[in-house]
Each structure stands twice: as structure tokens, then as C-alpha cells.
Amino acid sequence: MTSQKVADTPVDTPEEGYERGLGSRQVQMIAIGGAIGVGLFLGAGANIAKAGPSLILMYALAGVIIFFIMRALGELLLYRPVSGSFAEYSREFLGPFFGYFTGWTYWLMWVVTGMAELTAAAIYVHYWFPHIPQWVTALVFLVILFGVNLISVKLFGELEFWFSMVKVTALIGMIVIGLGVLTLGFSQAGDTAAVSNLWAFDGFFPKGVGSSLMTLQGVMFAYLAVELVGVTAGESENPEKTLPKAINTLPWRIALFYVGALTVILCVVKWTEFGEGVSPFVKAFAVIGIPAGAGIVNFVVLTAALSSCNSGMYSTGRMLRNLAESGEAPKVFARLSATKTPALGITVSVLFMGIGVVLNYIVPEKAFGYVTSVATAAGIWTWLMILISHVRYRREVVAGRLPASSFPAPGGSVCSWIAIVFLLFVTGLIAYDADARICLYVMAGWAAALAIGWAVLKSRNPQITGRRGEPDLEKVG
């Protein structure tokens, strides 16, 4: 791929053999599914106990920042849609080391997330079938999802479509039922459900503003994977139409599924009844008194975990292939199977996830918190690279050295700078929290390992330090 080609044909870049098998409805649902995960279904309970009703504001604030990030990514994607986009844009606008670091870090994020999600899925099945060993269930899910990802991208997209459909339907149902309880007063919660529950118990900030801000790290984990739509760019049938539509619908998805659902739940059930380890949705269904409500929510949370693991297998294979094509991973990972999937990259990633199943079988439950905090730190790095790449891209466009994207972010790079400051603030909160701080130590060790790997790569192949896909810096047009 020459630099002139990148500059002149930002949208029509061929995607090196991938099948453009993801239709509009699948990309839309992948984007929706990325915005609804286990972080909301399970993690919100502990955060409600820490922040009370003010958690609604934290989700709204973080949602605005996520929209800024996604619009920045959207502008880059329509400038040049490529699979493994985060690493590719970091490589182009920040240098080859940043592309290498971002690609491997995003791979790490999904591998550790996959470890947690598989074990979580096994625990959810244990709810119905307590006699089946958890490792057996985890292994079965691992093999099934592995097979789906190897067969074709169309099958992956279809499975993810239905996973997302279950989550969306459940959340809409919860909102409708909650509104019915509030307006009509039916169910066991009818006498106590009221909008005043949002401030009646020690106010909207019952634990103080500082305690509310400390929940932002958990809130950001709930939004992880929303950027997955960027990984689908190289396999979307019509990226010029599907990607902007998927990104522009993000605000209403956040408003409805996060802010709306939590607002209704906290009106129906007072915040003091929530705690760590209890899904707010399970609790709400129990208080309302819906028959089999716990079982229904357990099924929904199971699909959320499987959806996340499915997405992890998809994205890790693509990211390894992108790294291999850049000379930053073994060349064998660049090969596509007969079904046009990066089979070897998926296989190796699945093996690492399988090790996680074994580890999570024997380590204490607190390990889940460590795993999710590592995933959050890796996700924040990915988002920062998207934002900084966008700022650099806008600078080149303003200077006339690169063509403008057909999907410009509102406000140019201003919103990207706001999001960068916010993410650095959240990183500071993580450093302040003794329990979450361990992820920064893990990331420091990861960075050291990658630095050693980069030094080895440079010694074996000095040309790797040359920018791949660097745009022509002469004036365009």
C-alpha cells in the first residue's frame, strides 16, 4: 500500500483478503452490543452502593466522553477504513512503536476480558445446573465460540446480532415494566416506587461528590468494547453508510440503556438496597415480584458474557493479523483461512483465554476485579491513542496535507482534547484507589515487556522503524 494511495483513496482501501460479510443490521447490533455488557448488568450494583443515585450522572458524563471518542474514531475510519484500525492509525500518525504497542495492548485487553467472561458464563449456568463442574461449561462455551469465529465473519455477525438482541430486549422490557410500576403502581414495589427515591435517602450525592467520581473507573469498564465497531471496518459491506449510522446512534443508546435503565431501577428500588455482587436488574425483578425474574435476568447476563467473549475472539484475531502484516508479530499470523478468517490468530488467542479458565478456577474471587481493572487500563490506552491520532490527523487536514474525511467530528479536535483530559483524570482516580492501582503495575510490566520485544524486532529488522502507510505530506487537491 503506497502512501499516495492512502492519501488519494481514503475510503476504498482494499482490506487484504477479508470478506466484507457484515451487513448494516449486524454492524448496528455489534455497536449496540458493545455498549451493553456485563459491566452494566453486574458491575452497576457495587457502584450504586458507592455513589447512590448520582451514578446516573456518572454514566451520562462518561457517555458524552465515549461519544467524543467514537466520533473521533469515525472520522478516521471514513478517512481510511481498515481492520485493526486503532493500531493502524497509531502507526500512521504517532509512529510504528505506538502502532505496535496499541495493537498488542488491545489484544491483551480482549484476552483478559475473555478469561473473565468465560468463567462468569460458567457461573451463570451453574445457577441452573449446579451439578455440572464450572470448568466443563467454560470449556464447552470456549469451543463453540471458537468454531463460530473460524467458520466465517457472517456467522460471527449473526451470532452477535442475536446476543445483542437479547440484551436490548431485556433492557427495554425492564424499562417498560419499571415505568408501569411507577405510573400504575402495580406489583409488590408499587407502594414504595417513586421518582423521589432519587433524592429521598440522603440526597442525590449521598456519599459525596468525591465518592461518586471514584466510580468513574468502573463506569468506564462498562463502556469497554464500544469501539469494536472500528475493528469491523474492514469487513463491513458499506462502511461509508453503516459506520456513521452506528456511531451517530450511540447517544440514544447510552441515554436509553444506561442512563434510562438505571434511572428507572433507582426510582423503583431505593439505592440503599443494592450492594456488591448483586445485579441491580436481578434485585429490581425480585422486588417487583416477577415470577422467574431472576432466571430471566440470569439468561440475559449469560448472553452478555458470551457476547463479550465472542467479540474478544473476533477482535484478537484481526489485531494479531494487523501486527503480523506490520512485521510486529510472527508472519504466520497474517495468513487467512479458506473462509477468509485469521484462523491462527484466533486459535492462539483462544488458547490464552483457555489458560484463563484454568487460572480463574483456582484463584480467589478478587482476581476478577484485578482482571477487569487491567482490561480498563488497556481500554483507556486504546481510547487515548484514537484521540491523539485524531488530533494529529486534524492537524494534517488543516495544513492541507491530507484529504478531509466524509464524517468529520463536531468541533474538530476540541472534543478530542476534552476526552483526553477526562481519560487522564480517570487514570489518576485508578492510581488513587488502592485496589484498582494494581492494574497500573501490571500495565507497567506489560509496557516493559513490549519495549524489550520492540528492541528485539529492531535488531532483527531495522526497517520496522519506517512508518507503514505514512501519508504523502505534500499538499493534496
Side-chain angles (χ1 to χ4, degrees):
M1 184 188 297
T2 64
S3 57
Q4 188 61 44
K5 185 175 182 180
V6 170
D8 290 345
T9 59
V11 170
D12 299 321
T13 304
E15 199 37 47
E16 299 109 354
Y18 279 129
E19 176 188 8
R20 290 196 179 273
L22 294 177
S24 177
R25 71 180 177 88
Q26 292 170 328
V27 173
Q28 290 293 319
M29 270 299 176
I30 288 171
I32 291 174
I36 307 169
V38 175
L40 172 64
F41 285 119
L42 288 180
N47 287 325
I48 290 173
K50 294 175 184 176
S54 64
L55 184 65
I56 298 168
L57 183 61
M58 297 301 105
Y59 270 103
L61 174 61
V64 171
I65 299 301
I66 290 296
F67 181 62
F68 291 167
I69 294 170
M70 291 304 294
R71 281 305 302 256
L73 177 59
E75 182 165 359
L76 291 170
L77 286 172
L78 270 294
Y79 150 68
R80 189 159 69 92
V82 288
S83 189
S85 56
F86 326 118
E88 192 64 29
Y89 301 135
S90 299
R91 191 174 292 117
E92 178 176 336
F93 294 107
L94 301 173
F97 175 76
F98 287 93
Y100 157 84
F101 196 102
T102 301
W104 277 110
T105 300
Y106 195 66
W107 177 85
L108 172 71
M109 184 195 95
W110 274 114
V111 166
V112 296
T113 300
M115 291 179 187
E117 303 291 5
L118 276 173
T119 306
I123 292 171
Y124 303 145
V125 171
H126 196 70
Y127 171 85
W128 292 301
F129 305 102
H131 301 300
I132 299 178
Q134 290 183 17
W135 70 268
V136 173
T137 310
L139 182 61
V140 169
F141 284 141
L142 185 70
V143 171
I144 291 174
L145 296 179
F146 176 50
V148 165
N149 275 272
L150 286 186
I151 292 171
S152 74
V153 68
K154 285 185 178 180
L155 186 58
F156 157 79
E158 197 63 28
L159 189 62
E160 197 58 31
F161 174 85
W162 289 108
F163 277 154
S164 296
M165 185 68 76
V166 169
K167 293 186 285 187
V168 169
T169 303
L171 279 176
I172 292 176
M174 179 69 238
I175 292 171
V176 171
I177 292 170
L179 289 174
V181 173
L182 284 170
T183 55
L184 303 177
F186 66 83
S187 88
Q188 298 173 11
D191 295 335
T192 56
V195 176
S196 60
N197 283 340
L198 295 179
W199 60 82
F201 300 93
D202 298 324
F204 191 69
F205 290 90
K207 299 291 185 71
V209 175
S211 183
S212 298
L213 289 175
M214 288 302 294
T215 65
L216 280 174
Q217 50 186 304
V219 169
M220 296 308 289
F221 171 72
Y223 283 121
L224 283 185
V226 72
E227 75 293 325
L228 183 64
V229 67
V231 184
T232 70
E235 293 168 277
S236 301
E237 289 177 350
N238 191 349
E240 301 87 18
K241 292 183 179 179
T242 58
L243 296 178
K245 187 176 180 181
I247 292 170
N248 278 335
T249 56
L250 187 65
W252 74 257
R253 296 200 305 269
I254 290 173
L256 177 64
F257 298 132
Y258 279 90
V259 179
L262 282 175
T263 300
V264 170
I265 284 176
L266 289 173
C267 287
V268 172
V269 184
K270 58 185 180 181
W271 73 268
T272 53
E273 295 190 26
F274 296 99
E276 187 172 357
V278 178
S279 168
F281 295 87
V282 172
K283 182 68 176 179
F285 270 91
V287 171
I288 293 172
I290 296 178
I296 293 170
V297 174
N298 195 66
F299 173 73
V300 173
V301 177
L302 172 63
T303 63
L306 294 177
S307 170
S308 180
C309 190
N310 189 40
S311 298
M313 290 183 188
Y314 172 86
S315 57
T316 50
R318 272 70 184 171
M319 197 58 72
L320 281 181
R321 183 171 189 249
N322 180 269
L323 288 163
E325 289 179 330
S326 307
E328 297 159 0
K331 284 291 183 185
V332 68
F333 287 129
R335 297 176 186 170
L336 289 178
S337 68
T339 56
K340 297 184 179 180
T341 61
L344 184 62
I346 295 172
T347 302
V348 170
S349 301
V350 166
L351 288 174
F352 275 95
M353 291 181 189
I355 293 171
V357 172
V358 177
L359 291 176
N360 281 315
Y361 181 75
I362 58 176
V363 295
E365 200 167 300
K366 200 167 186 179
F368 277 107
Y370 295 153
V371 167
T372 55
S373 65
V374 170
T376 303
I380 287 175
W381 173 271
T382 300
W383 291 336
L384 282 172
M385 290 301 99
I386 291 171
L387 293 165
I388 297 171
S389 296
H390 177 250
V391 169
R392 296 290 297 270
Y393 166 70
R394 290 293 307 178
R395 189 180 301 167
E396 298 298 324
V397 170
V398 170
R401 291 190 287 264
L402 281 179
S405 170
S406 61
F407 187 49
S413 58
V414 174
C415 291
S416 289
W417 278 115
I418 294 172
I420 288 170
V421 172
F422 179 86
L423 291 178
L424 292 177
F425 173 68
V426 173
T427 304
L429 293 178
I430 293 174
Y432 182 76
D433 188 325
D435 287 334
R437 194 183 303 150
I438 189 172
C439 75
L440 299 181
Y441 302 142
V442 172
M443 290 305 295
W446 176 251
L450 288 182
I452 293 171
W454 183 250
V456 173
L457 283 173
K458 282 202 302 181
S459 66
R460 292 181 177 179
N461 181 17
Q463 286 100 346
I464 199 172
T465 56
R467 288 194 181 193
R468 178 178 179 268
E470 184 174 0
D472 194 328
L473 296 184
E474 296 180 3
K475 297 272 185 178
V476 297

